[in-house]
C-alpha cells in the first residue's frame, strides 16, 4: 500500500526530467541554469505545450540544463515574485539572473535557445525585480497574504454565510489588533530590557550618603576621646 503512495508522490514532483517547483523548493533556481515554465492547469495555451515541455525535459536529462515548471495557482511565492501577468510565460535563469523568453513555443526552438546561448541577448531583470531579492521577497509575501485574505473572505461569505460587511470588518480588525498588540509588546520589551533611568540628583544623593555616615562616625569617636 505504501509503494503506490510513494510512487504517486514522486510522479507529482517530477514528470520525466521536468522539475516541479513549489513554495518549498523554489529557492533551488538561484543556482545553475534553469528554463522555467509558469502555467495554470485551466490554461488552454499551457495545455498545448505541456507535452513539448516534457519532451524538452527528457532531452535535457544528460545535459547541464534544468527544465522546470511552476503552477501559479499553487506556487504563489515564486510566481508572485516573477510578476506573471500572462500564461504560459517562460523564464531563463542563470545563477539567479532571470530573463523572460520571447521566442517560439517549439521544442527545437527551445533547444537552440539553450544550446546556442541565445538567452545572453535578452535583457536581464533588474536586481530589485529578481526573485530572491529583498524587495521581491517582501512583495511576494504581501501578495500571498492578500490572496489568503481573499480566500478567507470567500469562505466567510459563501460557506459561513456571513454578511459581506461583517466579513470585511473582521478582516480589517484582526490585522489592526495584531499590529497594536505587536507595538505594545515591543514597547514593553524595550522598557523591561533597558528599564527607566534614574534621575541625576538621585544618583548624586546615593553617592553622597557614604561620606555623610563616615563623617558622623568620626565625630562620635572624637567625643569619646
Amino acid at each position: 500500500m505504501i509503494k503506490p503512495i510513494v510512487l504517486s508522490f514522486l510522479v507529482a514532483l517530477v514528470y520525466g526530467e521536468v522539475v516541479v517547483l513549489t513554495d518549498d523548493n523554489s529557492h533551488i533556481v538561484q543556482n545553475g541554469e534553469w528554463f522555467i515554465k509558469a502555467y495554470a492547469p485551466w490554461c488552454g495555451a499551457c495545455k498545448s505545450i505541456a507535452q513539448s515541455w516534457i519532451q524538452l525535459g527528457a532531452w535535457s536529462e544528460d545535459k547541464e540544463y534544468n527544465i522546470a515548471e511552476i503552477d501559479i495557482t499553487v506556487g504563489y511565492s515564486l510566481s508572485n515574485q516573477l510578476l506573471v501577468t500572462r500564461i504560459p510565460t517562460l523564464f531563463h535563469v542563470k545563477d539567479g539572473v532571470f530573463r523572460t523568453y520571447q521566442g517560439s513555443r517549439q521544442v527545437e526552438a527551445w533547444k537552440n535557445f539553450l544550446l546556442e546561448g541565445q538567452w545572453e541577448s535578452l535583457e536581464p531583470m533588474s536586481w530589485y525585480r529578481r526573485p530572491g531579492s529583498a524587495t521581491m521577497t517582501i512583495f511576494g509575501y504581501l501578495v500571498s497574504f492578500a490572496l489568503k485574505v481573499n480566500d478567507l473572505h470567500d469562505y466567510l461569505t459563501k460557506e459561513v454565510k456571513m454578511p459581506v460587511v461583517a466579513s470585511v470588518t473582521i478582516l480589517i480588525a484582526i490585522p489592526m489588533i495584531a499590529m497594536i498588540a505587536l507595538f505594545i509588546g515591543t514597547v514593553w520589551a524595550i522598557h523591561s530590557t533597558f528599564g527607566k533611568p534614574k534621575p541625576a540628583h538621585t544618583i548624586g544623593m546615593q553617592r553622597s550618603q557614604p561620606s555623610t555616615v563616615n563623617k558622623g562616625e568620626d565625630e562620635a569617636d572624637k567625643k569619646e576621646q
Side-chain angles (χ1 to χ4, degrees):
M1 180 68 180
I2 297 178
K3 287 184 177 180
I5 296 176
V6 175
L7 181 60
S8 299
F9 175 74
L10 293 175
V11 171
L13 291 178
V14 179
Y15 301 100
E17 288 299 320
V18 176
V19 179
V20 177
L21 299 175
T22 65
D23 287 343
D24 295 328
N25 69 355
S26 60
H27 63 277
I28 63 178
V29 303
Q30 297 295 331
N31 298 303
E33 186 170 359
W34 293 80
F35 202 22
I36 305 171
K37 176 186 70 173
Y39 76 100
W42 45 262
C43 168
C46 300
K47 293 178 181 179
S48 67
I49 65 170
Q51 191 61 38
S52 298
W53 198 251
I54 294 176
Q55 293 176 15
L56 183 68
W59 167 81
S60 69
E61 182 176 359
D62 58 348
K63 298 176 178 60
E64 59 183 4
Y65 315 116
N66 299 290
I67 309 302
E69 63 183 16
I70 181 168
D71 180 352
I72 65 172
T73 65
V74 177
Y76 292 131
S77 180
L78 181 59
S79 62
N80 290 338
Q81 292 183 51
L82 287 171
L83 298 178
V84 177
T85 57
R86 61 186 181 87
I87 48 178
T89 300
L90 308 183
F91 298 94
H92 178 272
V93 189
K94 177 66 174 178
D95 295 329
V97 179
F98 286 72
R99 293 173 170 84
T100 303
Y101 176 80
Q102 303 288 353
S104 171
R105 295 179 180 177
Q106 302 297 323
V107 176
E108 292 303 318
W110 295 335
K111 292 179 182 179
N112 293 332
F113 175 76
L114 296 172
L115 290 172
E116 299 174 6
Q118 297 176 9
W119 53 269
E120 294 183 2
S121 63
L122 299 176
E123 183 177 356
M125 290 184 181
S126 303
W127 64 268
Y128 57 85
R129 278 201 56 213
R130 296 174 188 171
S133 66
T135 52
M136 296 312 297
T137 298
I138 294 174
F139 177 80
Y141 282 127
L142 289 175
V143 174
S144 297
F145 176 75
L147 291 173
K148 290 178 180 179
V149 170
N150 184 67
D151 291 340
L152 179 57
H153 173 70
D154 289 340
Y155 171 78
L156 293 176
T157 54
K158 296 178 181 179
E159 300 296 330
V160 183
K161 305 299 182 182
M162 181 179 293
V164 174
V165 175
S167 174
V168 172
T169 301
I170 291 174
L171 295 177
I172 293 176
I174 291 176
M176 290 183 65
I177 294 173
M179 291 176 64
I180 293 173
L182 179 62
F183 174 76
I184 295 174
T186 302
V187 172
W188 178 85
I190 294 174
H191 179 76
S192 300
T193 302
F194 298 100
K196 185 177 180 181
K198 295 181 178 180
H201 69 277
T202 304
I203 297 175
M205 291 174 61
Q206 289 179 347
R207 290 178 178 176
S208 63
Q209 286 177 359
S211 60
T212 304
V213 173
N214 293 336
K215 186 177 179 180
E217 291 178 352
D218 292 340
E219 291 177 351
D221 293 338
K222 288 179 180 179
K223 290 180 179 180
E224 291 178 358
Q225 292 177 357

